[in-house]
Amino acid sequence: MRTALVLIDIQNDYFPGGRMELVGSEAASCSAANLLRAFRQAGWPVFHVKHISNRTGSTFFLPNTAGVETHHSVAPLPGEAVVIKNYPNSFRETILQEQLKAAGIGSVLICGMMTSMCVDATVRAAFDLGYTCTVAHDACATMDLVFNAVVIPADQVQGSFLAALGAVYAQIRSSDDILAAISA
C-alpha cells in the first residue's frame, strides 16, 4: 500500500502577520517541512492542498493575496500535485480523491492547518473513503476557540481534536516518530 503526504492549508494567512494567525503555526510548518523533505528524498508522493475562499464576506485566504499563497517552508516543487479547495474537507468538490486513486495510494499521512477544521474534516473524509490515516500531530496547528462564552485555549483544542481523531479515524504520531520509521 502506497502512502502519500497530504499537506493541508499551510498558507501565509495562518502565520504571524497573516489575517488568521494560528497558535504554533511556525513550529508546525517546520515539522511539516521535515516530513516533506523526507518524502521528497524517498521519492514518495506529495499532495499540497490550498484553500482559496469563495465565500461572501470571507476575511482570509482571499484570491490574489499574499495570504492565500503556500508558506515558503513547504512550497510545492514543479511536478508536485496542488489541489485547490473551497471547503474544509479537502475531498469535497476537488480532484484529490481522483489523484490519490490514480497514484495507487491506500494510506495518507496528513498534516497542516487548522487541526480543528480542515485537518479534522479531511481525516474523517479520508477514513470514510477507505484510506488508512496517520496525523503528524506536531505538524498541525490551530487556534483558541470560544464556546458558550468560554475561551478554549489552542492547546486544549488541539488535544481534543487529535484525541477524537485518534479514537477511530487515524493514528496520531509525532513527526520524529514518523521520520524514524521512514529512515529505518
Side-chain angles (χ1 to χ4, degrees), residues 20-31:
M20 180 66 76
E21 182 178 343
L22 301 183
V23 174
S25 58
E26 290 176 321
S29 73
C30 288
S31 294

Side-chain angles (χ1 to χ4, degrees), residues 10 24 31 39 55-56 77 105 109 114 120 140 150-151 167 172 184:
I10 304 178
S31 294
F39 267 68
R55 275 190 359 218
T56 302
L77 293 178
I105 303 302
L109 169 58
M114 141 167 64
D120 180 68
C140 296
V150 175
V151 175
I172 310 300

